[in-house]
Amino acid sequence: MSGRVLVGVKRVIDYAVKIRVKPDNSCVVTDGVKHSMNPFCEIAVEEAVKMKEKKLIKEVVVVSCGPQQAMETIRTALAMGADRGIHVEVTGKDYENLGPLQVSKIMAALAKKEDALLVILGKQAIDDDCNQTGQMTAALLDWPQGTFASELSMEGDKIKVVREIDGGLETVKINTPAVITADLRLNTPRYATLPNIMKAKKKKIANVKPADLGVDITSRLEVLRVDEPPQREAGVKVETVDDLLARLKEAGRI
Amino acid sequence: MLLGFRPSLRLLSPRLQLLQSRSVQSEHPATSAAVDSVLSALRSICGEDGVSFGAAVREQHGRDESIHRCCPPDVVVFPRCVEEVSELAKVCHQHNLPIIPFGTGTGLEGGVSAVKGGVCFSLRNMDQVLDLHPEDFDVTVEPGVTRKALNSHLRDTGLWFPVDPGADASLCGMAATSASGTNAVRYGTMRENVLNLEAVLADGTVLHTAGKGRRPRKTAAGYNLTNLLVGSEGTLGIITKATLRLYGIPEAMVSAVCSFPSVQAAVDSTVQILQAGVPIARIEFLDDVMMDACNRFSSLSYAVSPTLFLEFHGSERSLEEQVLTAEDITQSNGGSDFQWARDAGSRERLWKARHDAWYAALALRPGCKAYATDVCVPLSRLPQIIVETKQDLMENRLTGPIAGHVGDGNFHCLMVVEPSDPEELHRVHLFTERLARRALALDGTCTGEHGVGLGKRALLCEEVGPEAVKVMQRLKDSLDPKNLMNPGKIL
């Protein structure tokens, strides 16, 4: 086994930004808006780097799919301690239509190519909330999956995963190679410090296209329309119970 | 310390005030024509949604986190840009209405109390981080940006803004009160870290204290208007932009806790650590009463004796050196072995006691309120003042656990007091005056970081002297001749 971990990171609109929809309802406004690494991807990178520091694995390779700006996200991961990056170039309309199915095909192809021991992803992206890429990647590779991980430990050639589920915590032990998706409480990601940002500039980022990996990224989905949630309207005060009933009937609620 | 309400120069008639105080009120109460025209002028500037008359909103904007009573303004406006702030100020200037700037309302000295009513300028809608220059270590922010929001924005750049007063305060508000915090000993206070300010004066003039867009690391050009406004607590202008100095996020951090047999030993260690040139990032003192309160509140088992919480920042190698030197010193003063933490999780747990100090103090006497004193003295005077203060607390049967930024000579007595007991309130009031005067007698200040606000105006005069106060008054008169900017504060 290579002792290599593949980590996928996605560049998304920063969580602190107030999202606005374009006037033509085609998509959200992204121009001039602050972007950063998806928070769950940060947790995934941190976990991989921690495993390397504990000498459980040998190399952390970070992958991002997107246009030129995806390189910034890869650099941040390198500053956190990843060893090298792979930028899968996807631009324009292809990028707008890029979704979990396409990304998981790319991740599966790279996992095979890099002979990865583990693929660690964030559990979901904060822009689409799909929560699908990890699961699809595992299915395409026919590898076991440990999703919503809040704790990981290597036990020989198996990996013990404590998963956060609705009823509480579930512990599973899966064979490697495997796919893991990181949940919120897995760790607290480190900040990139200036010296590490400087060092990261010297680390290598390979550039590939989906076609080079034999992946077809045509989307089977078409976004018809994007709307903002309805504006909250002012409340209305009523003086009597009869008034209340009349208003509720008017609004078709009773 | 506690202020009675001074009704004068109100915008509204007494009858209208009565209407306002009821919970159910009509949308548009009967107003005089003058009030109407002011309101419509305000609305025409920042929109219908930008002007609020509601009782709940006004109350929210008339109080901060101090023990001072709420003094709501007559109306709250929510400007969206500096042009609106300027136009609104002109309206207020024309009609002689007091102007009270409001950031996050997290102050501790009643700075936002509208003692003469007027218009509260809530700046929360101006919340952009502008002009970040990572290679120059500077950034410009609007008043709605809080320090945690800025540090989150900066997280990928390897930079941070280290001034940490505890609360998630507005950075422009921190500039207005010259805020400080637990790591001032290493990174300085707002005074050292504001490069430029954009502010709106009482007559609507837009001022750039160091020139528009300028951000050199140092300057010798003209009078230092930037630092005139820093700490002016909204009495000279409304800060609408602040250009701040940033620092590199430390490569590594290590925290430690060490307990001592006496206050003297703890403070002596502090002085010696600083004299040894250790660039310590945080050095916090908690007295035995405070440690006991923290143990009870957070179910911890720290030794109940004077304790130092220390934090070191730097590269791995420099940390080793710093820690070795510090430990040598504390042990030679009878300090216990260090309790350590390196990674973020354990450091947080270690510091939890210090972070929860306020709540732990309150929990000592449920139902009571707390007031923090804020004196600051030269380091060499610290042992004396803390020992004398503890003596004073015991003699007067007061609950006042002590927590302090001893690296700066600054400490807080968290006075826990029953708000409905006038006798106790009076004893606390006298105690805080004695404490302030004790600090002044030791070449110190009555307020290290919280500001003068409402409660310390008399002490300011004792501290800086009548000549300095006269100069301050002349500056105030020349920038704000009508005394509209946050009246009743500082002077």
Side-chain angles (χ1 to χ4, degrees):
Chain A
M1 267 287 135
S2 67
R4 189 173 293 133
V5 170
L6 204 63
V7 180
V9 296
K10 185 178 181 186
R11 180 175 180 264
V12 297
I13 295 179
D14 188 83
Y15 74 87
V17 169
K18 190 166 193 304
I19 308 290
R20 285 185 349 262
V21 174
K22 276 200 186 149
D24 63 359
N25 293 102
S26 59
C27 56
V28 301
V29 176
T30 52
D31 278 338
V33 167
K34 181 170 205 280
H35 284 64
S36 51
M37 193 189 296
N38 182 41
F40 296 107
C41 299
E42 287 179 351
I43 297 173
V45 173
E46 175 67 25
E47 195 62 21
V49 172
K50 272 200 166 79
M51 289 171 88
K52 193 181 94 160
E53 285 170 348
K54 289 189 207 159
K55 301 207 191 322
L56 297 168
I57 55 144
K58 296 214 195 79
E59 192 187 21
V60 178
V61 181
V62 70
V63 180
S64 193
C65 307
Q68 193 59 18
Q69 293 95 319
M71 301 265 277
E72 290 162 20
T73 315
I74 298 176
R75 291 253 173 251
T76 306
L78 294 173
M80 285 172 72
D83 298 292
R84 61 182 165 89
I86 301 175
H87 172 215
V88 181
E89 207 179 317
V90 181
T91 54
K93 263 266 164 275
D94 285 336
Y95 178 61
E96 280 170 41
N97 295 329
L98 196 68
L101 183 58
Q102 293 76 27
V103 173
S104 55
K105 288 180 186 171
I106 293 171
M107 292 303 298
L110 283 170
K112 287 204 208 109
K113 184 163 179 266
E114 296 287 337
D115 192 26
L117 172 69
L118 286 177
V119 174
I120 309 184
L121 304 172
K123 71 169 180 182
Q124 68 197 59
I126 60 171
D127 51 7
D128 54 25
D129 279 337
C130 283
N131 194 330
Q132 297 165 0
T133 308
Q135 292 85 341
M136 286 179 175
T137 308
L140 288 168
L141 289 165
D142 197 22
W143 286 5
Q145 55 185 263
T147 53
F148 306 99
S150 67
E151 216 182 293
L152 285 183
S153 44
M154 301 283 289
E155 298 189 357
D157 60 352
K158 296 200 205 300
I159 182 161
K160 191 171 89 174
V161 184
V162 178
R163 309 178 57 230
E164 294 199 5
I165 60 173
D166 283 350
L169 296 173
E170 177 192 58
T171 308
V172 297
K173 201 187 284 196
I174 55 180
N175 292 325
T176 54
V179 175
I180 306 287
T181 71
D183 208 325
L184 189 63
R185 279 156 281 268
L186 182 57
N187 59 51
T188 309
R190 66 196 65 190
Y191 287 113
T193 61
L194 282 178
N196 289 338
I197 291 175
M198 293 279 113
K199 279 186 222 156
K201 291 195 178 150
K202 299 200 189 112
K203 294 181 182 175
K204 293 217 179 335
I205 303 180
N207 191 297
V208 298
K209 299 206 175 39
D212 302 338
L213 301 168
V215 171
D216 171 19
I217 55 166
T218 354
S219 176
R220 288 100 178 278
L221 300 174
E222 186 194 331
V223 173
L224 298 176
R225 202 187 147 86
V226 177
D227 284 296
E228 282 190 11
Q231 282 282 18
R232 193 175 166 189
E233 281 170 21
V236 171
K237 281 192 181 143
V238 294
E239 299 290 323
T240 67
V241 174
D242 288 323
D243 229 339
L244 174 64
L245 292 174
R247 299 278 193 141
L248 287 171
K249 281 192 184 139
E250 243 175 78
R253 298 288 185 184
I254 52 170
Chain B
M1 175 181 74
L2 297 173
L3 189 71
F5 179 65
R6 281 164 56 194
S8 53
L9 288 180
R10 297 306 294 241
L11 168 63
L12 310 169
S13 69
R15 178 170 150 268
L16 190 55
Q17 280 172 262
L18 191 56
L19 271 176
Q20 289 289 351
S21 67
R22 293 205 193 129
S23 49
V24 177
Q25 54 190 313
S26 47
E27 269 297 318
H28 299 286
T31 62
S32 70
V35 169
D36 256 346
S37 80
V38 170
L39 286 176
S40 71
L42 298 175
R43 284 193 180 108
S44 73
I45 297 167
C46 46
E48 284 288 327
D49 292 338
V51 179
S52 182
F53 223 15
V57 175
R58 292 183 308 121
E59 264 182 51
Q60 183 195 18
H61 287 84
R63 59 157 58 92
D64 58 14
E65 298 199 354
S66 70
I67 204 172
H68 292 283
R69 210 156 50 157
C70 173
C71 286
D74 296 308
V75 62
V76 184
V77 293
F78 298 88
R80 292 159 293 198
C81 58
V82 63
E83 291 79 17
E84 282 184 13
V85 175
S86 174
E87 291 303 309
L88 291 165
K90 284 179 187 153
V91 170
C92 294
H93 192 251
Q94 193 192 346
H95 294 271
N96 296 334
L97 299 169
I99 297 173
I100 300 101
F102 187 100
T104 45
T106 45
L108 294 171
E109 293 291 338
V112 296
S113 294
V115 297
K116 292 189 175 182
V119 182
C120 173
F121 282 51
S122 172
L123 299 159
R124 70 175 190 211
N125 288 337
M126 297 170 60
D127 62 359
Q128 294 304 299
V129 174
L130 314 161
D131 302 336
L132 168 64
H133 301 275
E135 61 293 349
D136 296 320
F137 291 78
D138 68 62
V139 66
T140 302
V141 297
E142 290 186 327
V145 179
T146 66
R147 71 171 177 92
K148 284 186 187 171
L150 175 62
N151 282 331
S152 170
H153 186 100
L154 295 172
R155 67 193 189 281
D156 292 338
T157 59
L159 300 172
W160 72 319
F161 185 68
V163 181
D164 174 6
D168 189 18
S170 148
L171 290 156
C172 293
M174 284 164 64
T177 55
S178 190
S180 163
T182 46
N183 43 26
V185 62
R186 167 96 172 238
Y187 298 103
T189 69
M190 291 306 283
R191 278 192 190 187
E192 291 82 49
N193 291 304
V194 178
L195 297 171
N196 197 350
L197 290 172
E198 177 192 83
V200 174
L201 303 179
D203 63 0
T205 307
V206 179
L207 170 72
H208 292 103
T209 56
K212 187 167 170 138
R214 301 212 180 281
R215 49 190 183 86
R217 287 184 74 83
K218 60 185 193 184
T219 175
Y223 296 162
N224 191 343
L225 297 179
T226 305
N227 274 22
L228 173 63
L229 286 185
V230 172
S232 60
E233 303 186 41
T235 58
L236 297 179
I238 305 158
I239 297 175
T240 51
K241 284 192 187 67
T243 304
L244 304 168
R245 196 190 294 277
L246 300 172
Y247 295 77
I249 292 174
E251 272 185 69
M253 299 193 210
V254 159
S255 302
V257 181
C258 183
S259 61
F260 293 84
S262 67
V263 173
Q264 185 82 38
V267 182
D268 282 347
S269 302
T270 306
V271 173
Q272 287 161 22
I273 287 173
L274 290 167
Q275 286 174 341
V278 176
I280 195 152
R282 285 190 165 109
I283 182 159
E284 294 286 296
F285 170 80
L286 273 66
D287 77 344
D288 55 330
V289 179
M290 191 75 250
M291 291 309 293
D292 185 44
C294 292
N295 278 344
R296 286 172 206 239
F297 183 75
S298 310
S299 307
L300 301 166
S301 49
Y302 285 115
V304 178
S305 55
T307 305
L308 287 182
F309 282 74
L310 308 116
E311 190 167 280
F312 305 87
H313 294 177
S315 66
E316 296 286 352
R317 270 191 289 178
S318 93
L319 282 184
E320 271 179 50
E321 215 183 275
Q322 289 181 46
V323 163
L324 224 61
T325 312
E327 202 165 14
D328 253 347
I329 290 171
T330 56
Q331 300 216 318
S332 73
N333 281 298
S336 70
D337 287 337
F338 273 14
Q339 271 187 62
W340 284 115
R342 287 199 84 93
D343 63 274
S346 343
R347 273 189 285 114
E348 257 184 67
R349 273 194 300 278
L350 204 69
W351 276 89
K352 191 170 166 45
R354 171 67 184 87
H355 285 142
D356 290 343
W358 181 261
Y359 305 104
L362 280 170
L364 281 174
R365 294 174 62 193
C368 289
K369 297 249 155 130
Y371 169 71
T373 67
D374 182 36
V375 300
C376 183
V377 296
L379 282 171
S380 57
R381 308 299 178 101
L382 204 53
Q384 179 185 352
I385 193 172
I386 292 185
V387 167
E388 283 177 18
T389 303
K390 280 180 77 70
Q391 183 82 2
D392 191 339
L393 286 166
M394 281 194 294
E395 277 169 14
N396 289 283
R397 300 165 291 120
L398 292 167
T399 320
I402 295 179
H405 321 302
V406 286
D408 310 316
N410 181 211
F411 69 97
H412 306 294
C413 296
L414 306 183
M415 309 303 302
V416 186
V417 52
E418 171 56 65
S420 61
D421 179 355
E423 194 271 329
E424 189 180 4
L425 286 170
H426 187 62
R427 268 187 293 134
V428 169
H429 182 62
L430 292 176
F431 166 81
T432 60
E433 289 205 328
R434 281 196 301 276
L435 174 57
R437 294 200 168 104
R438 199 176 293 131
L440 293 179
L442 293 172
D443 303 337
T445 169
C446 64
T447 174
E449 49 186 22
H450 296 169
V452 171
L454 279 175
K456 297 186 175 138
R457 287 173 295 161
L459 292 166
L460 176 67
C461 196
E462 282 179 47
E463 179 172 328
V464 301
E467 292 309 319
V469 171
K470 279 195 212 131
V471 173
M472 289 187 194
Q473 189 64 56
R474 280 156 67 184
L475 283 165
K476 165 77 170 168
D477 292 338
S478 82
L479 288 173
D480 178 22
K482 291 191 187 186
N483 190 18
L484 298 177
M485 293 302 314
N486 210 1
K489 317 288 163 50
I490 303 188
L491 298 168

